[in-house]
Amino acid sequence: MDNFSVGWEEWLALPELGLPALKAKTDTGARTSALHAFAIQPFGSDDKPFVRFGVHPVADNPDIEVYCSAPVVDKREITSSNGQTELRYVINTPVVIGGRKWDIEITLTNRENMTYRMLLGRTALEEIAVQPMESFLQPELTFSLYDKIAKRKRIKRPLRIAILTREPNNYSTKRLVEEAELHNHVVELIDTKRCYLNIQSHNPEVHYDGKPLPHYDAIIPRIGASLTFYGMAVVRQFEAMGTYCLNNANSIGTSRDKLAAHQILALHRIPMPTTAFANSPKDTNSLLGLVGGAPTVLKLLQSTQGRGVVLAETKKAGEAVISAFQGLDANFIAQEFVKEAAGSDLRCFVVGKRVVGAMMRTASDDDFRSNLHAGGTAKNITLTSEEKAIAIKSARVLGLTVAGVDLIRTSTGSKVLEVNSSPGLEGVEKISKKNIAAKIISYIEKNVPSTIRQSKIKSKIY
Ligand code: ADP
């Protein structure tokens, strides 16, 4: 392709996918090209695997929606620029730039808010010169090519939502059902433990009561700590089926592993009380020293609701607790005791990029743990903008869409204690008087196409 070069951004078309105009960014740091899609669902058979997906070709106009389907040529682990690895479908389709047409491989990924719906990787540009200082070297295309689609009338469709829970009657489950139904969606409750998984075929399935479950538009995972491992497998299976999962399996797993979560938060410079971890009994002394000596808070890694959290007032008590934990082969972290918090912490309820509710919990007189299950009380609280930013960032770096982020106010600013991937709604809805269930359902509606264009598109996908 002599004298044919592209700039760092170019217009292109993917004619066989029905995408006549896209703005793409060249990214020679990436091998394969990527297209940002949503509702990515496999179909077809193991011999002839296909994938269908939706694309919003115009970044700032989600009203324009195109549904595409293509044969799957591969599934590949791709690490994106933010370091997250994901298994993606790979399709092969012709690209047209400046009147030239050639076949390229494209991976499909669901990432919100990317200005460029398409990244052109190295392999797509093998014989083409890239001029990284120039943009739009090839003729411009126009988004008006989508005008016809935008003119079709939109109709709202009910979503089919499943809540993965072992507790159909608890407050959080009931509220989510209530709000989803108020928004005219169909909700089913699925007992995580009774799901079994067909992980063999191209068409992965979740079975329940002897039958494969139907395709859900969205899953709300409410996975209790005791079922993390299996719950993650079930969520992962729904992800493989192309279902939108409000929190993904990896993020649930990472946030449950307090040590991993602390490491990730630290990596992203999110403030947290000084925390240390060790395995061998020899290190007890220096471990306690690392977190500033007594008093020290010692936490079992699998603790929830404050049950495995101990305050060691003296060095001797600290050593005794550590030796007891080690005798039980239990993993734990040691943390500086934040005395000035006076037994209070802040629960921030994050949905997407917003804190949608918050409360301050205070321990009963004879405790330092503020968990409501441990007898604490709660009151309404206004968070500072810094606290909101910390909560939102914590959820984001752990990859959680819905998270309960616990902060503790220290003399050097608010710091993160832990991030919960299935936060309860009861306390925070009642105390903050916010309709958090509705925020969760609206968030799902924004991220799963809940309206469709009449005519062609309807028959194509649903
Ligand atoms: P869990 O996951 O079991 O709830 P947390 O780490 O949230 O464990 O700790 C439970 C409670 O103990 C917190 O809500 C907080 O009130 C108190 N707490 C935890 N860590 C500290 C600390 N470093 N200093 C003071 N209080 C703490």
Side-chain angles (χ1 to χ4, degrees), residues 50 72 89 98 200 207 258 263 372 448 459:
F50 278 80
V72 173
Y89 290 101
Q200 311 270 347
H207 288 247
K258 282 192 196 224
Q263 287 175 309
L372 299 183
V448 178
S459 56

Side-chain angles (χ1 to χ4, degrees), residues 58 64 71 96 107 164 340 365 392 394 398 433-434 439 444:
V58 189
I64 300 177
V96 179
T107 67
L164 279 181
E340 61 272 26
D365 283 347
I392 293 163
S394 302
L398 291 172
K433 304 215 164 41
K434 298 266 167 61
K439 303 265 188 223
I444 293 175

